[in-house]
Amino acid sequence: MFWRMTGLSTTSPCNVVDTILDKENFTLEELLDEDEIIQECKALNNRLINFLRERTQVEQLVRYIVEEPPEDAEKGRTFKFPFIACEIFTCEVDIILKALVEDEELMNMLFSFLDPEQPHSTLLAGYFSKVVVCLLLRKTVSLMNYIQAHQDIIKKLVDLIGITSIMEVLIRLIGADEHLYTSYVDSMQWLEDTDVLEMIVDKFSSTDCPEVHANAAEALCAITRYAPPGLAAKISSPSFVTRLFRHALEDSRPKSVLVHSLSVCISLLDPKRQTSGTYYIYNRQSTPGSVVTAKPETVEGMLESLGSLLKLLEVSAEESVLFTTYGKLQPPLGKNRLKIIEFISVLMTVSSEAAEKELIRLGALIRIIELFFEYPYNNFIHHHIEQIIDSCLESKNVSLIQHILEDCHLIRKILDAEKNCVLDADPKNPTLPADGRRPPRIGNVGHMTRIANKLIEQGANITYIESYLQGDSEWVEWHTGVLTKRNALENVYQWACGRPTSLHDRGRDSDDDDYQDRDYDVAALANNLSQAFRYGIYENDDNDEAHGSLERDDEDVYFDDESAEVVISSLRLGDDQESGSLFTNSNWFAFEEERVVHEQSTSAVVSQSPDTDATIDNKDVDSGDEVTSNENDKDLVDSATSESLESKPGPDDTAIRKSTDESTPNESDKPPEWIEWRESESVQPEPQIETAVKITELTDSLPNGNLEVTSTADIAGDGPNKAEVSPPSSTTDKSEAVADSGGKTDVGGNPAEK
């Protein structure tokens, strides 16, 4: 990708393309062989654009895209030249596109790629698709006028729908694209009068190629979502649905026809539902209990063929035996039966009374629940059947609820499966355990638990369900002794492993969770992030640079709300009830242990008076070391206090950070420490400085003048950080410390007498 920046030239002084253009006799192939030609096109090189806009050059570029190279052609002619020619057109240089779209002969040459006698390689099909889509975006009216004058192009596109690139062109041409339809709504009204839908659906019967069936179904699904009103009304008509089912239920057709035809029916019932295709990806999936709307005439058209469709549930298209890790399937469920059950699960969400009556009459739900227990390891079918049962229990049709409980014997089947929770070795069952092995536990217990909980939930609202459940003593015993304990055990929110508490009120998938739903303050988080960044960037700088950097404006290191929201979504942290959290309004850098120590201290804090002698009298709780400050260090303390008050004013307290220029190899990766100086509210006669200082052992690598300082909490063993403090490098104010285990040392560097 190349960027255009104001005031900067994108052409270099020694441009290879300009060098070629300076020649008296040069060819298009010489330019196409240079890698910089695409960059120069995007930079709108006038000499290059004027050359490429010539009809001879545009014609040659089109030939590279639509004509297969000879077998003995060089590698550049086979791969590089078609690619560069496609990229030149997709650079969206208006004058080059205009030269192509306004010349009918050149357009005829471009669309000659669709002729039946052409080889239609997938490589050139991709280049052809990119050029046509670029023309759709930039020269919409001109291109649509040309296609309207040559309507045989639509039929040629449908004939080549097995090529995915051609399918994409067809979808965009008929307006089944969310980004393109509104841009040329007036210029494509004529498509509604064509029989393009019939041509696409007839591909299910005219060929046995699974790729053709998949792409035809994908194109029809795209039309159900984004097609103009005329095509949308035609595809949802009962006549079209009947035609679709006729192709799907033909005995001689391959099973891919039925699977992809039902995908189109599912899209007609719920257009926003993601299908099996890969061309479109949608954010929302149908959830259990969700209600979708469909035209009543569309549902009626499907019910006409529902009886023939449900007969396929009795017979599997897979006649072979499928061996698995737990045993074998004889026969397997098969794609056909799985797709039929998925179709019924979506049909149940429509809440069509006619569909519910037809399913009861045909006994479809009885057979579907039998399949739930016959294939205990197929999670796909368990998911769809659970949705069907949920739709039945949430239905306002009492006869449907009675049918699912009484005629389908749902409760009895669940209780029997709970009693015999291992795989049955009966040869009549399609799922059999492996010979010579212990039968494994069935795999649908989790779905049965959720169905049982759904029954109890609906029983609280529907009197019939509650009375039916209470009338079964075995159910009451199982509910009390097994289900209640299982729910308590599987309640992840009550586990003691620290499950995030924010999951309690999460009503949707975590990827869709928005930061506004949380209870933290974004502004406070932004402030905390600002402080974290501000204090963290000076970790390895010198003292002089750090003091100067601390005086910078807050805007240099400020995190706004938008940046905070990005960090929130990246961290994905829950609330921590035991420690300070990112999502609280507390100050991260208060260091609670030190703050408590200082607030409870009765000693006075440093005074700003130049006449006051600063004395450090700190007692180490572990080693008993004491550090005292001599009178010569009074200026050091006063200057440090003054600088801290000027750089970050506060009501009564100020934090100053000091870091060393050098450290030992063992101490180099330790986090920095914070030394807090506080000024007391009432001035004492002899103010003193109280802090926690820990003298490290003297090593060869530790230079003179470096002290390792820890907070009181660190000395006690529960503090988080350690740091080294290096005084200024000035010779007059420089303080030195000499460590003597168990002894006393004054800050001036003179060892104290023991």
Side-chain angles (χ1 to χ4, degrees):
M1 179 180 292
F2 304 93
W3 293 267
R4 298 179 185 175
M5 302 183 66
T6 306
L8 297 179
S9 175
T10 55
T11 59
S12 59
C14 301
N15 195 307
V16 180
V17 174
D18 287 338
T19 303
I20 297 176
L21 293 175
D22 290 336
K23 297 180 181 180
E24 294 184 1
N25 298 319
F26 62 90
T27 62
L28 176 64
E29 286 71 16
E30 293 182 60
L31 290 172
L32 297 180
D33 200 38
E34 296 296 333
D35 297 333
E36 297 180 0
I37 186 173
I38 304 301
Q39 181 179 358
E40 294 299 316
C41 285
K42 294 182 177 181
L44 300 179
N45 187 319
N46 292 332
R47 297 175 61 193
L48 178 62
I49 298 302
N50 290 332
F51 174 76
L52 294 177
R53 64 177 290 192
E54 297 176 1
R55 189 186 185 284
T56 304
Q57 315 308 329
V58 175
E59 179 181 354
Q60 186 60 35
L61 293 175
V62 174
R63 290 186 182 277
Y64 284 137
I65 294 175
V66 301
E67 294 182 358
E68 288 287 340
E71 295 182 358
D72 57 348
E74 297 180 356
K75 191 174 182 180
R77 169 64 184 88
T78 305
F79 299 103
K80 187 173 184 179
F81 290 174
F83 169 74
I84 297 297
C86 174
E87 291 298 313
I88 289 175
F89 285 118
T90 55
C91 284
E92 300 180 357
V93 180
D94 185 76
I95 194 171
I96 297 178
L97 296 179
K98 186 177 181 180
L100 171 61
V101 77
E102 293 184 354
D103 192 319
E104 187 170 355
E105 293 183 1
L106 294 179
M107 293 295 291
N108 292 338
M109 180 183 297
L110 176 64
F111 283 95
S112 65
F113 178 80
L114 302 176
D115 293 341
E117 61 271 10
Q118 292 289 339
H120 307 126
S121 68
T122 55
L123 179 64
L124 295 184
Y127 297 148
F128 169 81
S129 172
K130 291 183 65 176
V131 173
V132 175
V133 170
C134 182
L135 293 177
L136 269 173
L137 289 170
R138 301 303 175 189
K139 299 294 179 181
T140 304
V141 178
S142 300
L143 178 64
M144 294 304 296
N145 291 337
Y146 172 81
I147 296 177
Q148 184 177 2
H150 303 78
Q151 296 189 14
D152 59 326
I153 292 177
I154 301 296
K155 185 179 183 305
K156 294 178 181 179
L157 289 171
V158 175
D159 291 339
L160 298 176
I161 199 172
I163 304 175
T164 304
S165 300
I166 304 300
M167 178 201 68
E168 295 175 359
V169 174
L170 178 63
I171 289 176
R172 293 173 184 267
L173 279 178
I174 60 181
D177 186 90
E178 56 181 332
H179 302 296
L180 293 178
Y181 170 62
T182 56
S183 61
Y184 59 101
V185 59
D186 297 331
S187 59
M188 50 92 62
Q189 293 291 338
W190 58 272
L191 278 171
E192 299 179 1
D193 300 329
T194 62
D195 55 349
V196 59
L197 292 179
E198 289 75 8
M199 288 189 293
I200 295 175
V201 75
D202 287 343
K203 299 303 291 184
F204 288 121
S205 61
S206 61
T207 180
D208 295 340
C209 180
E211 290 77 11
V212 174
H213 301 157
N215 288 348
E218 193 63 40
L220 293 174
C221 291
I223 294 173
T224 62
R225 299 183 184 108
Y226 300 109
L231 291 178
K234 183 182 293 187
I235 197 174
S236 60
S237 62
S239 59
F240 181 84
V241 174
T242 302
R243 188 170 188 166
L244 183 64
F245 269 98
R246 185 174 67 249
H247 295 311
L249 297 175
E250 290 182 5
D251 295 335
S252 59
R253 307 304 301 141
K255 61 181 180 180
S256 61
V257 175
L258 176 63
V259 172
H260 295 297
S261 298
L262 290 178
S263 296
V264 179
C265 295
I266 292 173
S267 184
L268 285 171
L269 295 174
D270 187 6
K272 294 183 179 180
R273 184 183 182 93
Q274 181 181 356
T275 60
S276 59
T278 58
Y279 183 69
Y280 287 95
I281 302 297
Y282 294 93
N283 294 328
R284 186 183 68 84
Q285 290 282 354
S286 293
T287 57
S290 61
V291 179
V292 296
T293 57
K295 295 182 179 180
E297 57 270 18
T298 304
V299 177
E300 292 176 1
M302 296 177 180
L303 296 180
E304 295 177 0
S305 305
L306 186 59
S308 301
L309 183 66
L310 294 177
K311 290 180 181 179
L312 299 178
L313 291 177
E314 302 293 339
V315 182
S316 174
E318 304 289 343
E319 299 297 338
S320 60
V321 178
L322 178 63
F323 290 93
T324 64
T325 55
Y326 53 81
K328 62 181 179 179
L329 295 173
Q330 187 178 0
L333 180 67
K335 293 182 179 180
N336 285 2
R337 294 198 287 182
L338 178 62
K339 201 67 179 181
I340 293 172
I341 295 176
E342 181 184 357
F343 165 71
I344 295 176
S345 68
V346 179
L347 182 62
M348 292 294 297
T349 60
V350 179
S351 299
S352 171
E353 185 177 355
E356 294 173 354
K357 291 181 179 180
E358 189 69 12
L359 290 173
I360 295 175
R361 187 184 67 83
L362 296 173
L365 299 179
I366 298 176
R367 179 55 183 159
I368 289 174
I369 293 179
E370 289 177 354
L371 292 174
F372 179 87
F373 295 95
E374 289 179 1
Y375 294 92
Y377 301 105
N378 193 319
N379 287 340
F380 297 104
I381 191 176
H382 300 159
H383 171 72
H384 296 312
I385 295 178
E386 182 186 353
Q387 288 188 359
I388 294 174
I389 295 175
D390 290 347
S391 299
C392 293
L393 296 178
E394 294 176 355
S395 174
K396 298 179 181 179
N397 189 354
V398 180
S399 60
L400 181 62
I401 300 176
Q402 294 176 349
H403 176 73
I404 198 70
L405 293 179
E406 298 178 3
D407 298 337
C408 298
H409 306 289
L410 178 62
I411 303 299
R412 175 51 46 195
K413 292 181 180 297
I414 291 177
L415 295 177
D416 292 342
E418 287 286 343
K419 288 181 181 179
N420 304 316
C421 57
V422 296
L423 186 60
D424 191 3
D426 188 353
K428 296 180 180 179
N429 294 333
T431 305
L432 299 175
D435 297 336
R437 294 184 183 179
R438 182 179 178 182
R441 180 182 173 89
I442 57 177
N444 54 1
V445 176
H447 287 86
M448 289 191 300
T449 302
R450 297 206 297 186
I451 293 172
N453 290 329
K454 187 67 175 182
L455 283 167
I456 297 173
E457 177 186 346
Q458 293 300 112
N461 302 324
I462 302 176
T463 307
Y464 169 76
I465 298 179
E466 183 181 8
S467 60
Y468 185 85
L469 295 178
Q470 294 300 325
D472 193 333
S473 59
E474 188 175 353
W475 165 268
V476 174
E477 181 181 355
W478 177 78
H479 172 240
T480 305
V482 178
L483 183 61
T484 304
K485 295 180 181 179
R486 182 182 298 171
N487 291 334
L489 179 64
E490 296 178 355
N491 188 0
V492 296
Y493 306 114
Q494 302 298 329
W495 289 355
C497 61
R499 188 83 176 195
T501 57
S502 60
L503 291 178
H504 280 293
D505 54 358
R506 180 171 293 175
R508 58 181 181 272
D509 186 72
S510 58
D511 295 336
D512 298 331
D513 213 358
D514 201 19
Y515 72 93
Q516 288 94 345
D517 295 341
R518 303 299 182 92
D519 56 355
Y520 48 74
D521 187 353
V522 175
L525 178 60
N527 181 42
N528 289 340
L529 291 173
S530 300
Q531 296 184 38
F533 184 80
R534 180 178 183 183
Y535 289 111
I537 59 178
Y538 310 121
E539 185 172 348
N540 298 322
D541 295 343
D542 294 337
N543 287 334
D544 295 340
E545 297 176 357
H547 285 300
S549 301
L550 281 172
E551 298 176 356
R552 299 187 306 171
D553 294 335
D554 290 340
E555 62 183 8
D556 293 341
V557 292
Y558 176 70
F559 278 76
D560 57 3
D561 289 358
E562 183 177 358
S563 302
E565 294 162 9
V566 174
V567 177
I568 292 170
S569 61
S570 302
L571 295 178
R572 297 173 63 90
L573 295 177
D575 297 333
D576 190 354
Q577 299 178 355
E578 299 179 1
S579 61
S581 174
L582 285 173
F583 307 104
T584 62
N585 298 335
S586 60
N587 186 358
W588 294 347
F589 305 96
F591 290 94
E592 296 295 332
E593 297 86 356
E594 297 180 8
R595 183 174 61 82
V596 172
V597 170
H598 287 294
E599 290 178 354
Q600 294 179 352
S601 175
T602 58
S603 302
V605 194
V606 62
S607 174
Q608 298 185 22
S609 174
D611 299 329
T612 305
D613 294 333
T615 303
I616 300 178
D617 186 11
N618 180 41
K619 296 182 179 181
D620 195 319
V621 299
D622 289 288
S623 61
D625 295 343
E626 296 180 2
V627 180
T628 60
S629 174
N630 61 7
E631 186 174 356
N632 293 333
D633 296 316
K634 172 177 60 179
D635 296 336
L636 169 64
V637 176
D638 292 341
S639 61
T641 306
S642 176
E643 282 187 27
S644 67
L645 292 173
E646 292 176 2
S647 62
K648 185 178 179 181
D652 289 317
D653 51 61
T654 307
I656 297 178
R657 176 187 177 189
K658 298 181 180 181
S659 61
T660 59
D661 295 336
E662 298 178 0
S663 61
T664 63
N666 296 333
E667 302 290 338
S668 60
D669 55 352
K670 291 184 178 181
E673 179 55 288
W674 306 84
I675 302 179
E676 187 171 358
W677 308 83
R678 291 182 179 272
E679 183 177 359
S680 62
E681 297 181 359
S682 60
V683 180
Q684 301 293 335
E686 294 181 2
Q688 296 179 353
I689 300 174
E690 179 173 350
T691 184
V693 182
K694 181 179 179 181
I695 308 301
T696 60
E697 297 181 1
L698 181 62
T699 60
D700 296 338
S701 59
L702 183 64
N704 292 334
N706 288 351
L707 288 178
E708 182 175 353
V709 182
T710 63
S711 63
T712 305
D714 290 331
I715 298 174
D718 53 1
N721 301 319
K722 287 184 179 182
E724 294 180 359
V725 177
S726 176
S729 59
S730 174
T731 57
T732 60
D733 296 336
K734 183 175 181 180
S735 300
E736 298 180 355
V738 178
D740 189 5
S741 177
K744 299 181 180 179
T745 306
D746 63 1
V747 181
N750 301 320
E753 295 182 0
K754 297 183 179 177

